[in-house]
């Protein structure tokens, strides 16, 4: 299955680089790959800090190289008895603007009128890990908690520290880097990407 996934990515990347027009999306849906993920995409509900639904459906869209790395990380987690739970992947610029209007703090929300977010480029994910039966791991704070308990350098008890170490060590192994203020956020080799900010709507059909 990995061979077919790799072939799909190569063909997708070739097609994008060679034939892409302004109307075509460089993003792929993680559901197209041979791995199983859990989802808690709160922006597809009103259970989020925006208090409104801003995604039309639950999807995880990424550029192909990032999607492949995430699938590989998830498969590795599964061998350890865990599974990736996805909170957010690609995020349209229009949604980033709504976030900035409500919480204009660059420590937590990328400024859409500046460089934006790596989410807007399809090269970042918000996630945690759960046991294969869905049991959550304690990470010390909820997702999208804007406070010190969510910072990666904040002291916690041994269980939380071990859970976070498990999460970060595997993600780093597959090319992802956390940011200081959010334990759940990972950029994929962000410094290597001169990617455009995207404002593409979700295709929910």
């Amino acid at each position: 299955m990995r061979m077919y996934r790799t072939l799909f990515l190569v063909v997708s990347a070739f097609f994008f680089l060679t034939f892409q027009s302004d109307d075509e999306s460089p993003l792929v849906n993680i559901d197209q790959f041979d791995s199983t993920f859990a989802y808690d995409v709160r922006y597809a509900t009103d259970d989020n800090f925006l208090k409104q639904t801003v995604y039309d459906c639950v999807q995880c869209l990424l550029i192909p190289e990032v999607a492949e790395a995430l699938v590989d990380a998830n498969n590795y987690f599964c061998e350890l008895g865990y599974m990736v739970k996805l909170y957010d992947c690609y995020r349209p610029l229009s949604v980033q603007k709504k976030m900035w209007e409500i919480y204009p703090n660059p420590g937590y929300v990328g400024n859409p009128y500046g460089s934006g977010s790596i989410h807007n480029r399809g090269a970042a994910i918000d996630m945690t890990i759960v046991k294969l039966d869905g049991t959550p791991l304690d990470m010390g704070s909820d997702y999208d908690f804007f406070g010190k308990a969510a910072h990666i350098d904040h002291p916690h008890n041994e269980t939380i520290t071990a859970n976070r170490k498990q999460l970060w060590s595997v993600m780093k192994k597959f090319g992802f880097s956390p940011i200081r203020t959010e334990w759940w956020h990972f950029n994929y080799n962000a410094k290597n990407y001169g990617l455009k900010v995207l404002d593409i709507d979700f295709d929910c059909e």
Side-chain angles (χ1 to χ4, degrees):
M1 292 297 289
R2 178 177 172 79
M3 179 183 69
Y4 294 113
R5 183 176 72 246
T6 302
L7 179 62
F8 170 80
L9 287 165
V10 170
V11 172
S12 296
F14 175 79
F15 183 88
F16 169 58
L17 291 172
T18 308
F19 301 105
Q20 188 198 28
S21 71
D22 290 340
D23 296 329
E24 292 167 344
S25 173
L27 304 169
V28 296
N29 193 324
I30 201 70
D31 274 350
Q32 297 175 3
F33 299 89
D34 60 325
S35 197
T36 301
F37 295 85
Y39 291 86
D40 184 12
V41 182
R42 299 182 192 178
Y43 298 134
T45 73
D46 60 6
D47 180 21
N48 55 65
F49 80 96
L50 299 168
K51 305 301 181 185
Q52 57 183 294
T53 301
V54 291
Y55 290 171
D56 292 332
C57 55
V58 173
Q59 284 188 349
C60 176
L61 305 178
L62 296 165
I63 60 174
E65 185 176 354
V66 181
E68 180 180 24
L70 178 58
V71 168
D72 289 342
N74 189 48
N75 289 340
Y76 189 89
F77 274 124
C78 288
E79 293 176 1
L80 300 176
Y82 304 101
M83 175 173 54
V84 168
K85 175 182 276 190
L86 295 165
Y87 294 126
D88 197 19
C89 298
Y90 160 71
R91 180 188 304 150
L93 183 62
S94 58
V95 174
Q96 195 73 29
K97 290 179 179 179
K98 291 181 180 179
M99 291 181 174
W100 185 255
E101 289 173 5
I102 291 173
Y103 203 82
N105 183 332
Y108 296 98
V109 178
N111 184 348
Y113 304 101
S115 60
S117 169
I118 304 300
H119 280 293
N120 306 143
R121 295 163 167 85
I125 55 173
D126 292 343
M127 56 161 285
T128 188
I129 50 175
V130 297
K131 294 182 180 179
L132 293 178
D133 64 1
T135 302
L137 274 64
D138 187 356
M139 292 295 179
S141 83
D142 196 7
Y143 167 61
D144 266 359
F145 173 77
F146 299 145
K148 290 184 178 180
H151 293 189
I152 66 173
D153 56 357
H154 186 73
H156 287 283
N157 63 40
E158 291 183 2
T159 299
I160 294 170
T161 299
N163 290 342
R164 288 187 174 194
K165 182 179 179 180
Q166 181 77 278
L167 173 65
W168 296 331
S169 63
V170 173
M171 294 306 289
K172 288 178 180 178
K173 179 181 178 70
F174 290 93
F176 293 89
S177 300
I179 62 173
R180 186 185 67 83
T181 55
E182 300 174 353
W183 61 260
W184 55 81
H185 179 105
F186 294 89
N187 293 326
Y188 183 75
N189 292 340
K191 293 181 179 179
N192 297 329
Y193 280 94
L195 298 170
K196 293 193 306 180
V197 169
L198 302 171
D199 197 9
I200 302 169
D201 292 333
F202 289 98
D203 182 0
C204 297
E205 294 182 1

